[in-house]
Amino acid sequence: MRIILLGPPGAGKGTQAQSISNKYNIPQISTGDIFRKNIAGGTELGILAKSYMDKGLLVPDNVTIDLVKNRLKEDDTHNGFLLDGFPRTIHQAEVLEALLKEQSVAIDVALQIEVPREFIIQRMTGRRVCPNCGASYHLEFNPPMLRGICDDCGSHLIQREDDKRETVVERLEIYDFQTAPLIAYYTEKGKLKTVDGTKAINEVFEDIIRILGEANDHH
Ligand code: AP5
Ligand code: MG
Ligand code: ZN
């Protein structure tokens, strides 16, 4: 299956992406995680991305699109993939569509995780992430088994640079202007599915599995 996850910052895309990717055995491609890996590694791409991310702005389309194009050339994407955090602009969506068309494939589902604004700030300020494997935790809603340690790989958890309140507000605004139009875009293509992201993490996952199962039956 070829899946896109949509939703505002803090909606739970990364959290659900890991479970979906395990269940369907498809790679999770998170542009945010790839940028953060590059920042940690001090690469040229990382330095460039950081200058935008720290302000809550989008990394320029040409940079992000090249990155995803290259990632989608890797062999593990043949049976499908899960895009987490891409596309984030109409232009990115159009380029993705053209790229897949060249390979005679298409996105199966654009899954929107819907979460009202009042939940978001709390989720993002309590978030802790694994700098090594990208896993997301929450101090209150999804704590790791050992405080400050990643369940999956044992690395020390950190707080994301862009999870400060001011940056969160900026990111939400950017989402409204640049990314939210994708909801209409995928609705028009008949690809949009929506899941209620305010439920508990495992309940959201169950709903997602059901929705993806139904979408898959239509093929
Ligand atoms: P990115 O890393 O993609 O960040 P984002 O979209 O802002 O989304 P988040 O990762 O903040 O939230 P999430 O939905 O993954 O939520 P999570 O599962 O962690 O992008 C970062 C930056 O990179 C961008 O600002 C931009 O600069 C750049 N970038 C990335 N992609 C780009 C692109 N395509 N084009 C241009 N620039 C790009 O959950 C949040 C918290 O809530 C966690 O603590 C979690 O434990 C908790 N939680 C999750 N689900 C629940 C639940 N159901 N109940 C209670 N708590 C929950
Ligand atoms: Mg994320
Ligand atoms: Zn980890």
Side-chain angles (χ1 to χ4, degrees), residues 188-205:
E188 244 166 67
K189 310 252 170 209
K191 306 275 186 191
L192 192 84
K193 302 278 177 206
T194 300
V195 67
D196 175 1
T198 64
K199 298 186 192 172
I201 293 173
N202 62 323
E203 291 176 273
V204 177
F205 182 58

Side-chain angles (χ1 to χ4, degrees), residues 18 129-137 149-157:
Q18 286 220 327
V129 298
C130 176
N132 179 48
C133 75
S136 252
Y137 298 87
I149 303 291
C150 179
D151 292 349
D152 296 336
C153 74
S155 301
H156 282 273
L157 303 179

